[in-house]
Amino acid sequence: MRCAIVIRGAVLGTAFVLTLAGCAEAPALERKAADPSDGDYPVEVTSCGHTSTITARPTRAVTLNQGATEVVLALGLEDQLAGTAYLDDAVPPKWKRAYDEVPVLSKEYPTHEVLLKTQPDFVYASYASGFDKKVAGSQESLEKTATGSYLSPFGCDDEEERPKATFEAVWQEIDAIAAAFGEPEKAADFRAEQGETLEELAATKVGTGVDVLWFDSGDKKPFVGAGGGGPQLILDAVGATNIFADLDGGWADGNWEDVLAADPDVIVLADASWSTAEDKVAYLESDPVLSQLTAVKAEAYVTIPFSESTPGVRLADGAASVSNQLDELAPNP
């Protein structure tokens, strides 16, 4: 008969379970335990309705999607990665050296066969598409091979399971990953650092009184930052007004008629590989009607990497960047 002591608690707001096992042969799920004396394992992490048991510190983890990769890099845990995949834009300089030390499995998603060759012991994705059968396979199938996994709560297939976009929700995901990787204290450090950044932005609110169009992509119909995601969090942090704050979700289809009616003071341009800031500026300035917008005529553009506009480790950096750029655009007194 197997004996176990179960300790239930929380690491900075994220639920987890530690099980200290002994007395008998461990089940197959625990076959990868590298150090029986490591009291930090097993750990359970839950998101999108799936609970995954991690029985030992991951040493061959794979991250799918840039957001997931950068969570691990931000925590300084790149030495526990066996591979990464799928960038949306450039990795920031502060993490570039660490990123370059990790094998890149594919420009986009790796095939299932390529991923399996890395012999992963943990798979972490930002979007549910990472667990497609052609990529990592379902989380349930990974669990059968004692491979832990985690899907960002912001990427749940079921929208009802996605948390409201807040910095606290972002930090809770980071707490979960830090616990899974055996370094919960690193999440605490990260929280403190980002909290200081947000406090500084709250003290200045340089966007107060500024109406903003958050232009993600599109031409005939603009795809815009809406009222319930990363763009809104950033604009709230700097005190600016989102002209499409009444739309649900993080991003949504807007329309040019409403943009013309609002005539925003500033246009934030998301810079991504599939829709660059440069392309969007060219479109706005070449259109006979849109080129007459106040922001276009004044070239009042703020550019932000797409990765700094999504709920994740770079969101506070995105807010700081938008704040700095708005300050530079402000007329001198």
Side-chain angles (χ1 to χ4, degrees):
M1 178 178 179
R2 179 168 173 258
C3 301
I5 300 174
V6 178
I7 304 174
R8 299 186 183 276
V11 178
L12 298 171
T14 299
F16 72 104
V17 177
L18 302 182
T19 305
L20 307 182
C23 305
E25 184 179 357
L29 189 61
E30 298 183 2
R31 62 183 169 79
K32 296 190 295 182
D35 183 0
S37 68
D38 189 349
D40 288 341
Y41 291 93
V43 169
E44 288 185 355
V45 289
T46 300
S47 69
C48 304
H50 179 83
T51 297
S52 183
T53 302
I54 299 93
T55 60
R57 181 183 300 265
T59 60
R60 298 194 57 78
V62 171
T63 53
L64 303 170
N65 310 114
Q66 185 163 349
T69 299
E70 290 183 346
V71 168
V72 178
L73 297 180
L75 293 171
L77 302 174
E78 61 277 358
D79 61 331
Q80 292 174 241
L81 291 177
T84 69
Y86 219 138
L87 292 185
D88 298 308
D89 46 50
V91 173
K94 63 181 176 179
W95 299 326
K96 184 64 166 60
R97 184 174 180 179
Y99 174 77
D100 287 343
E101 295 176 359
V102 183
V104 175
L105 304 183
S106 174
K107 182 178 180 180
E108 296 184 352
Y109 282 135
T111 64
H112 188 62
E113 292 72 21
V114 167
L115 192 149
L116 288 182
K117 283 182 180 178
T118 69
Q119 299 181 340
D121 53 13
F122 187 81
V123 179
Y124 173 28
S126 299
Y127 304 104
S129 52
F131 292 107
D132 184 88
K133 64 181 180 180
K134 294 181 179 179
V135 188
S138 71
Q139 291 183 271
E140 291 76 14
S141 66
L142 289 169
E143 204 76 17
K144 291 177 182 178
T145 63
T147 303
S149 64
Y150 189 83
L151 170 61
S152 168
F154 297 103
C156 296
D157 253 342
D158 185 350
E159 292 188 12
E160 294 297 320
E161 293 182 325
R162 297 176 193 171
K164 181 180 178 181
T166 64
F167 280 99
E168 180 62 30
V170 169
W171 295 334
Q172 286 180 359
E173 176 177 346
I174 294 164
D175 294 343
I177 294 303
F181 276 67
E183 300 285 350
E185 70 284 352
K186 290 183 179 291
D189 295 341
F190 188 83
R191 274 178 176 258
E193 180 184 329
Q194 289 214 332
E196 289 178 6
T197 297
L198 295 177
E199 286 177 4
E200 292 170 3
L201 297 179
T204 56
K205 292 284 186 180
V206 299
T208 301
V210 178
D211 291 338
V212 174
L213 162 65
W214 192 291
F215 187 14
D216 181 273
S217 57
D219 42 36
K220 293 181 180 179
K221 182 180 291 186
F223 194 57
V224 302
Q232 187 64 51
L233 285 178
I234 288 176
L235 295 178
D236 285 343
V238 303
T241 299
N242 180 2
I243 67 170
F244 284 111
D246 61 331
L247 298 181
D248 294 333
W251 291 267
D253 287 326
N255 63 74
W256 291 120
E257 290 77 12
D258 287 342
V259 172
L260 293 167
D263 196 18
D265 305 302
V266 171
I267 299 174
V268 175
L269 304 163
D271 193 25
S273 58
W274 64 86
S275 179
T276 67
E278 186 178 61
D279 288 343
K280 285 187 277 283
V281 169
Y283 177 76
L284 291 168
E285 295 184 348
S286 64
D287 185 276
V289 177
L290 298 177
S291 62
Q292 298 308 302
L293 287 166
T294 296
V296 176
K297 289 194 290 185
E299 298 183 351
Y301 304 123
V302 167
T303 300
I304 178 172
F306 176 77
S307 295
E308 290 184 2
S309 71
T310 61
V313 289
R314 290 175 64 182
L315 196 61
D317 290 341
S321 176
V322 169
S323 179
N324 291 336
Q325 292 180 71
L326 287 176
D327 192 40
E328 292 173 0
L329 289 173
N332 295 321

